[in-house]
Amino acid sequence: MARVKLERVTKRFGTVVAVDNVTLGIEDGELFTFLGPSGCGKTTTLRVIAGFEIPDNGRVYIDNDDVTFKKPYERDCAMVFQNYALWPHMTVFDNVAYGLKVRRKRLKLTDEEIRKRVLEVLELVGLRGLENRYPLQLSGGQQQRVALARALVVQPKVLLLDEPLSNLDAKLRLRMREEIKKLQKQLGITTIYVTHDQEEAMSISDRIAIMNRGKVLQVGKPIDVYNKPTNLFVATFIGRSSALRCKIIEKEPSGYLKVVIGNQVIRASPAPSKTLSPGSSAVAIMKPEDVKLGINDNVIRGIARMSLFLGPHKQLIIYVADQRLTAYIDPEIEIEPNSEVILRIRPDEILVFPEEEWEEVKLEEI
């Protein structure tokens, strides 16, 4: 196992700042995920850790060893690429054994020792018996396992995974992420994972770093990132939250805010560590699972435009004035299009952020 540390790491490509002054630590045995939209810098950050990119500024440490300018093969890391990068002319056995054969002299490995380690790791990933097949004779999930076995067989301190499941179909992706998490915990290997799939990140990670435009915006456990976003980008990127422009009209002694959306007043909670004053414009964030049909002391009215059946629930698209709000409702409930609905939501479940953050992240309505 190993601890990884980035200190003020910056990487530029021409005028584009791909990684912008990133500082964070990844603990021994942790499954740590970089999550964000395409082009946010997460893969570049992974490649800096791997040694495929040299940062313009900052340092990279593995177990307190400064590896910033070390070659990839000197870092004791192994990487699984998005496209697996398997040798098509080599068997499964030879693909997995390749890294050991390259290191044979340094590690003083015999042919028998290489064979033993390869077969052990193939057993570990569920491919024992397929060692004589070629990559084109395997399914996508089996190819993914070969790539994982090739990385694990060299017994690296740090395992790096760059969107390893993106080429798989939805059902197989679900199964493989369970297997990766189980395998990672079984081996106790420090693992750094990159994905743009928030559900994937939330389900397997010990901690997540949310990135946008090269910056790490928040680091935390999945439940904390989901329930306690520290900025508007994270609040809207994680989950399927609705963002409604509003104006703050009053701050109550209880700490709640009264905000007006269109011509409707509703009570809400200020986002942590944000300056929000009466009279200022803001953005109210609501998760669809928190918005319910019915009346209580904190309601908002809207027009139901569309409902979408999603199995365990129905997604209801509501417009409050000209702003879109999403709610998850009982799939058995029928709502007529263009009918008025009354929605209840607790003040604790509405987070209010300054309007400036809306402009900063350039949110787009779908």
Side-chain angles (χ1 to χ4, degrees):
M1 296 190 292
R3 187 175 188 275
V4 178
K5 184 169 65 173
L6 306 181
E7 286 188 355
R8 299 184 298 278
V9 169
T10 297
K11 178 63 183 177
R12 302 179 185 87
F13 297 101
T15 59
V16 176
V17 182
V19 182
D20 191 354
N21 198 33
V22 168
T23 296
L24 55 81
I26 298 162
E27 300 301 325
D28 282 349
E30 185 173 31
L31 202 166
F32 187 94
T33 298
F34 287 102
L35 172 66
S38 297
C40 72
K42 54 190 185 295
T43 292
T44 302
T45 304
L46 194 74
R47 289 176 63 84
V48 166
I49 295 169
F52 299 132
E53 303 288 351
I54 303 299
D56 297 299
N57 300 100
R59 319 297 292 183
V60 180
Y61 297 90
I62 297 178
D63 275 347
N64 297 318
D65 180 21
D66 187 343
V67 299
T68 309
F69 300 106
K70 285 190 174 183
K71 303 292 185 185
Y73 59 83
E74 298 174 326
R75 299 185 182 212
D76 211 356
C77 296
M79 189 159 175
V80 177
F81 297 92
Q82 184 175 350
N83 63 358
Y84 313 145
L86 302 178
W87 299 103
H89 64 288
M90 290 184 182
T91 63
V92 168
F93 182 94
D94 289 333
N95 265 284
V96 176
Y98 183 80
L100 291 178
K101 289 178 179 178
V102 169
R103 296 167 173 81
R104 178 201 297 266
K105 188 174 181 180
R106 178 164 59 88
L107 298 178
K108 299 179 181 178
L109 295 172
T110 65
D111 286 343
E112 184 55 35
E113 287 170 332
I114 290 174
R115 178 175 175 77
K116 181 181 177 183
R117 280 172 62 168
V118 170
L119 293 180
E120 283 176 351
V121 79
L122 288 176
E123 182 76 33
L124 190 65
V125 300
L127 291 178
R128 187 68 185 267
L130 302 182
E131 53 266 25
N132 294 322
R133 291 193 186 182
Y134 291 88
L136 291 177
Q137 297 174 309
L138 304 176
S139 68
Q142 289 170 333
Q143 290 182 41
Q144 195 272 347
R145 287 189 181 95
V146 174
L148 188 57
R150 184 179 57 187
L152 292 173
V153 78
V154 298
Q155 300 175 352
K157 286 184 177 180
V158 182
L159 178 63
L160 308 173
L161 302 169
D162 184 13
E163 306 232 27
L165 308 183
S166 60
N167 293 327
L168 304 179
D169 63 60
K171 188 174 181 179
L172 185 55
R173 201 158 57 237
L174 289 174
R175 191 168 83 236
M176 287 306 304
R177 76 188 186 198
E178 292 171 6
E179 292 187 12
I180 286 174
K181 182 170 184 175
K182 180 182 176 181
L183 190 60
Q184 190 269 336
K185 293 306 175 189
Q186 180 182 341
L187 298 174
I189 188 170
T190 304
T191 301
I192 306 175
Y193 197 100
V194 160
T195 183
H196 64 274
D197 185 324
Q198 56 177 280
E199 185 178 289
E200 190 172 296
M202 301 282 278
S203 65
I204 69 170
S205 307
D206 295 314
R207 285 191 303 148
I208 299 173
I210 309 294
M211 292 191 71
N212 191 39
R213 299 182 184 178
K215 291 183 178 293
V216 171
L217 301 181
Q218 185 171 350
V219 178
K221 295 179 180 179
I223 191 169
D224 293 331
V225 172
Y226 187 78
N227 289 325
K228 301 172 184 176
T230 57
N231 59 75
L232 188 54
F233 178 85
V234 175
T236 53
F237 184 75
I238 296 292
R240 293 172 174 82
S241 299
S242 303
L244 280 69
R245 291 175 182 268
C246 61
K247 180 164 283 190
I248 300 169
I249 56 176
E250 183 185 337
K251 186 170 185 178
E252 299 179 344
S254 63
Y256 290 128
L257 303 172
K258 281 187 177 178
V259 302
V260 59
I261 301 172
N263 59 1
Q264 302 183 64
V265 176
I266 193 167
R267 297 168 72 227
S269 299
S273 306
K274 301 296 179 183
T275 302
L276 297 158
S277 305
S280 62
S281 296
V283 180
I285 301 296
M286 308 177 201
K287 293 188 177 72
E289 62 268 27
D290 295 332
V291 182
K292 313 292 185 184
L293 292 173
I295 297 176
N296 66 3
D297 60 352
N298 205 50
V299 302
I300 189 166
R301 288 173 166 80
I303 303 298
R305 297 297 189 197
M306 183 186 299
S307 63
L308 305 170
F309 177 71
L310 300 178
H313 53 254
K314 188 178 286 184
Q315 182 177 342
L316 193 62
I317 309 300
I318 306 120
Y319 275 79
V320 179
D322 61 347
Q323 300 191 81
R324 173 174 154 151
L325 174 64
T326 300
Y328 290 159
I329 64 171
D330 188 320
E332 300 295 330
I333 296 175
E334 294 293 336
I335 303 290
E336 289 295 322
N338 300 317
S339 60
E340 184 182 70
V341 291
I342 300 174
L343 306 163
R344 69 180 192 271
I345 182 167
R346 293 170 42 220
D348 288 336
E349 294 168 339
I350 307 174
L351 276 183
V352 179
F353 291 84
E355 187 185 42
E356 309 87 75
E357 294 192 19
W358 178 285
E359 300 302 329
E360 181 182 341
V361 299
K362 295 183 179 178
L363 293 173
E364 296 181 1
E365 291 187 359
I366 299 175

